[in-house]
Each structure stands twice: as C-alpha cells, then as structure tokens.
Amino acid sequence: MSPDLDTVGGQLDALASGASSARELTERALDRAAHAQNRLNALISSVGADHALAAADAADYNRAAGRAGPLSGIPFAHKDLFCTAGVPTTCGSRMLENFVPPYSATVHERIDAAGGVLIGKANMDEFAMGSSNEHSYFGPVHNPWDLTRVPGGSSGGSAALVAARVVPFATATDTGGSIRQPAALCGVSGIKPTYGRVSRWGMVAYASSLDQAGVIALTVADCARVLDVMSGFDPRDATCADRPKIDVAAALARPLQGLRVGRPRQWFGAGIEDGVGAAVEAAIAEYARQGATIVDVDLPSSEYAIPAYYVIAPAEASSNLSRFDGVRFGHRCADPKDLADLYKRSRAEGFGHEVQKRILTGTYALSTGYYDAYYLRAQRVRRLIANDYARVFADVDVLAGPTSPTVAFKLGEKLADPLALYLADINTVGVNLAGLPAMSIPCGFSQGLPVGLQLVAATWREDLLIGAGHGYQQVTEWHRAAPPGVSP
Ligand code: GLN
C-alpha cells in the first residue's frame, strides 16, 4: 500500500523509502495552502515559499547524510502565538499585527531541531480568547466541512488546516478547550497535555496557570509523535516540569482490553445535541466491545467549571495583557497627547472587543473589595473540581464523553450571545482548571458534521490517553473521513 501522505507517519515512510522528498512534500503543502486560503482563511501569514523550500532542502540533505530528525522534512503550521524569530507573530490581534519576535518559542526550537518545515502561521481567536475563531482581527476561519460554519476556537486555523489536509500536523494551545473543541468541530484529533508537560516559553500568554501547548493531527499516533518532540523540561519556564518522557511506543501498544472507562454523568446533561450524544454513546459502546469496562462516575462540581473559569482566565489575562501598553510591544496610537492618552488609545485601538471585555471583567474580579468574592472563590471552586477528578481517577483510567455539546455552529450564530458561546466550553474547561491531559478524537457525525469524543486522564498519564485513543482508531474509521472537496 502506498503511504498515506496526509499523515505524519505516512510522510515519514515516504521520506524513508525515497518515494517522496521533503521538497515535494513541502511543495504539496504550499500548493494546498494556497488553494485553501480563499475558502478557509486558516493562515494569517506564510513564511514564504523560498524560506520553506530551503528548510525542506536542508531536511533532504540531512536525511541523505544519515542525520534525519524525528520530523525531518514534515511540513507544518504553528498557531500564530508561538514566537518565531524573524517571522511575524500576531496572536490574531491588531495589537501585534506588525510584531516580529527576535527569538523563537521552545516549542518551535524543538520542532525545528527535529527537522519540521514551517510553512505558515495559523489563524486564531485574538489572544486565544474564543470558541469559534470569529474573534480574530484577521477575519474568521471557515470550517472545511461546511464553509458557512465555524471551525471552533481558539485554534480554529490549526484544526482547519489539518482537516483540509494542507499540513499533517499543526501546533495549538488549550487554555479552556482550544485544542479539543476545534479538533472536534473539524473532525480531527488533538491532544492537550498535562499542565507543565510542554514549555510555555515564547508562547504569547493568555491565562498562565491554564495555558498549555499541544498538537492537532489526523491520528492519535501522529499527535503522540509530535508531542514527544515538543515536550520535556525547559529551565526557561518555571512551570515546566522535569518529568520522564512519555514512552510513546508502549502507550500506542496498550490494549483496550481491561481499560477502565469512566462516563461522567454531568457531561451528558441538558444542552447536548441528540446526534452528538448518540455518536459518543456508540463510541463508548465500541470500547465495551473491545473489552473495556464502562463505569458511570460523578463530577459534582462540574456545574461550576464555566463560572470559575470565566473569572480565573480573564483575571490572569488582565494581568498578562497589561504589558501591551503602546510603549514596549505592538500597536502605538498616532500623536498621543500625553502618557495616559498613549496607553488608552493604543489599547483601545489594538485590542478587539472580546479581549477588552475580558480585561475589564478580569480587572474587576481582582480589584479590592471584589477579590475575595470572585477571584478567591473561583480558586476554591478550582480546587473542588480538581478533587472531583482526583477521586474518580482512583477507579478509572480515562473519562469519555462529548468534547463539545454541539457540532460546528453557523458563523455569526452565537456572536450576539456571549453566554451561549461560553457554554460551548462546558465539558472542556474543568480539565484545564485541574491541569489534566485530555484529547479529542473523531467518533461519528451528527447532521453530516463531525462529532468529537473527549478522553481525559490523570496528570502525567498521557500514556493512557494515547493508548485509549489509538486503540479506538485501530478499530474505527472516523478519523479517515475527509471533508468534501479534499483530494486524498
Ligand atoms: N473558549 C475558551 C476561552 O475563550 C478557551 C480558549 C482557549 O482554550 N484558548 O477562554
């Protein structure tokens, strides 16, 4: 069988056998990116064909010299919040429209050292705030399955590029669901590792105690392969943990037989679309058929996850985003009257509406007189949520349920109702509050649109997630389904 050039594994096989060169794979990605851009708007910038092809040629040269790295010659895109030296990094914001970082994120350094070929920077919600990719200064991303619908957010560009088979993987970040939810809505796989598994150095910060980088790809095996390259201790990020690496080969070989799968009752509550619930139940039944044990479990504090998250995340954002003052970074207004005017107008012009709203609510929650009532209380709820998870992981290996309560919604549908948009995160944000690893994998369709199965494990147990996700993809075909018009 000829290798599947849409996957990292297939591309590596083609490179190893000499069936393809890195230059050919990069030309293919650049060509697809150019064709997809009008329809999807999934890239904010491209690194330029010359630059990408030079990196591909270097990968070909290294492979011929016997020095191929684990991703040598594989084209990819970065969510546009990973700093890339000499390549614009906008974070989806007018504030950073012209920002060219003088250094690269650790994640980029590692993928680059492994031989990955960066082709461009993926569109995203401004400062990673959103669940629909409609809050990008560079315009919304369109879902490849239906161009009138959102791809999910905030890593909508990354998910759309992988779903459209432009690149076999893209980096992404997840503060409250932004890897898993767009992966679910675009019918691809995405892994958000344990908080501290991947360095945040050089990643533009949204909410530092929640932000974590991960991967979107077509298969769990590809996600694991790339995560292996990205992860590991980095002394430049004080929250990056010095832990042993995941044994990816052992994780992929884990059988489903005997796996203990928890089904949290609260994840199947009101608001779950019927077709989504049915596809997820069928996936859980498949686990049972493969010899897994299914256990109903309770996460009673789940109902407080959204309110706690939407206090803590904006509070941290208000602090992180104070650095964008028109002086040191990014947009500066024209002809300021005085210093206060410079701050005010630079921020008013540079930040979009959603970002301003979050800075205001976050500042409010942290102000004297409200700190105890909002921020401190939310932190206590965060502890209760983490305790819920710790308790259930004494009895189960992974939790399984819907990543998102609905399939991809129409562009514009939830813009007028921010609460409805925040509710799209109902099953994802608790995981970030507890710092756990989680994944979304395709598990069926509802209304002709992809449904994602969310799997969650205890901290540092990515091996269980990878085993459970890969095992499922060995016996199902959902991850192979391609959006209409995508050539194989
Ligand atoms: N939708 C959530 C938010 O807007 C999560 C975003 C994310 O994970 N970056 O905060």
Side-chain angles (χ1 to χ4, degrees):
M1 207 177 94
S2 64
D4 175 1
L5 290 186
D6 291 334
T7 64
V8 178
Q11 291 201 353
L12 286 171
D13 288 346
L15 289 165
S17 71
S20 300
S21 65
R23 174 170 268 267
E24 283 163 1
L25 294 176
T26 301
E27 277 170 346
R28 177 180 186 267
L30 292 170
D31 197 43
R32 288 177 172 219
H35 276 100
Q37 188 61 12
N38 278 344
R39 290 185 308 129
L40 304 180
N41 192 31
L43 283 170
I44 288 176
S45 64
S46 143
V47 301
D50 291 354
H51 197 87
L53 291 172
D57 289 344
D60 281 329
Y61 178 84
N62 283 334
R63 186 173 296 276
R67 289 195 306 263
L71 296 173
S72 253
I74 306 296
F76 75 101
H78 272 310
K79 184 176 185 177
D80 202 16
L81 54 54
F82 290 96
C83 285
T84 37
V87 178
T89 300
T90 68
C91 217
S93 182
R94 180 179 184 204
M95 184 58 91
L96 291 176
E97 188 177 8
N98 298 310
F99 176 60
V100 180
Y103 67 100
S104 292
T106 300
V107 162
H108 179 67
E109 284 180 352
R110 291 194 175 160
I111 297 176
D112 188 58
V117 177
L118 178 68
I119 66 149
K121 307 292 291 284
N123 203 345
M124 56 180 284
D125 281 304
E126 184 176 4
F127 284 98
M129 298 174 185
S131 311
S132 67
N133 219 123
E134 293 169 290
H135 297 313
S136 168
Y137 175 63
F138 302 91
V141 174
H142 298 256
N143 190 314
W145 289 88
D146 175 347
L147 299 179
T148 68
R149 291 176 188 266
V150 304
S154 60
S155 316
S158 301
L161 287 168
V162 172
R165 275 65 172 168
V166 171
V167 280
F169 80 90
T171 59
T173 60
D174 194 311
T175 302
S178 284
I179 292 176
R180 293 160 283 155
Q181 189 252 11
L185 270 45
C186 289
V188 294
S189 304
I191 187 164
K192 174 237 174 263
T194 308
Y195 182 80
R197 174 72 80 185
V198 176
S199 169
R200 293 182 297 110
W201 197 78
M203 224 171 88
V204 181
Y206 162 16
S208 308
S209 77
L210 302 161
D211 297 342
Q212 186 61 197
V215 193
I216 293 181
L218 289 180
T219 68
V220 172
D222 282 357
C223 288
R225 198 191 294 264
V226 179
L227 179 60
D228 189 46
V229 168
M230 286 166 60
S231 59
F233 180 60
D234 177 9
R236 294 176 296 191
D237 171 5
T239 63
C240 188
D242 194 0
R243 302 276 309 192
K245 288 206 123 193
I246 306 161
D247 183 341
V248 172
L252 290 171
R254 277 182 166 275
L256 296 184
Q257 175 78 36
L259 184 75
R260 297 168 305 165
V261 177
R263 184 187 170 286
R265 283 192 190 88
Q266 289 76 6
W267 290 2
F268 292 81
I272 301 290
E273 188 179 301
D274 289 348
V276 169
V280 168
E281 296 289 8
I284 294 175
E286 182 62 44
Y287 276 101
R289 232 186 332 276
Q290 299 299 326
T293 321
I294 315 298
V295 194
D296 280 325
V297 297
D298 274 305
L299 297 170
S301 304
S302 295
E303 61 175 305
Y304 307 115
I306 292 262
Y309 173 85
Y310 278 101
V311 171
I312 292 169
E316 292 187 16
S318 73
S319 166
N320 271 326
L321 271 57
S322 65
R323 76 191 65 181
F324 301 104
D325 54 7
V327 178
R328 289 165 297 176
F329 299 93
H331 179 75
R332 178 178 299 177
C333 68
D335 306 321
K337 273 204 320 285
D338 53 27
L339 189 61
D341 186 47
L342 170 77
Y343 289 158
K344 275 195 223 161
R345 280 201 292 124
S346 299
R347 288 167 69 79
E349 292 166 7
F351 290 135
H353 186 72
E354 183 66 23
V355 174
Q356 293 190 16
K357 190 168 71 190
R358 301 216 189 175
I359 292 173
L360 288 173
T361 47
T363 305
Y364 181 83
L366 289 177
S367 51
T368 317
Y370 297 106
Y371 182 89
D372 288 0
Y374 295 109
Y375 185 71
L376 208 60
R377 179 170 296 201
Q379 290 288 25
R380 292 196 175 118
V381 170
R382 180 179 193 169
R383 168 53 58 195
L384 294 179
I385 290 169
N387 289 349
D388 271 6
Y389 279 105
R391 188 175 39 72
V392 299
F393 284 125
D395 302 321
V396 301
D397 299 315
V398 295
L399 298 174
T403 306
S404 160
T406 66
V407 291
F409 38 91
K410 292 271 187 192
L411 284 154
E413 186 182 321
K414 300 196 184 196
L415 270 184
D417 183 356
L419 268 186
L421 193 59
Y422 293 172
L423 282 173
D425 305 337
I426 191 150
N427 288 348
T428 54
V429 293
V431 163
N432 301 71
L433 290 170
L436 305 171
M439 182 184 267
S440 180
I441 55 176
C443 73
F445 290 87
S446 170
Q447 308 173 46
L449 294 162
V451 175
L453 174 73
Q454 172 167 251
L455 299 170
V456 182
T459 42
W460 312 116
R461 294 312 303 271
E462 282 89 343
D463 60 321
L464 293 172
L465 284 183
I466 292 167
H470 180 66
Y472 180 79
Q473 293 188 336
Q474 296 298 99
V475 294
T476 57
E477 295 285 325
W478 303 115
H479 58 289
R480 295 188 198 281
V486 169
S487 48

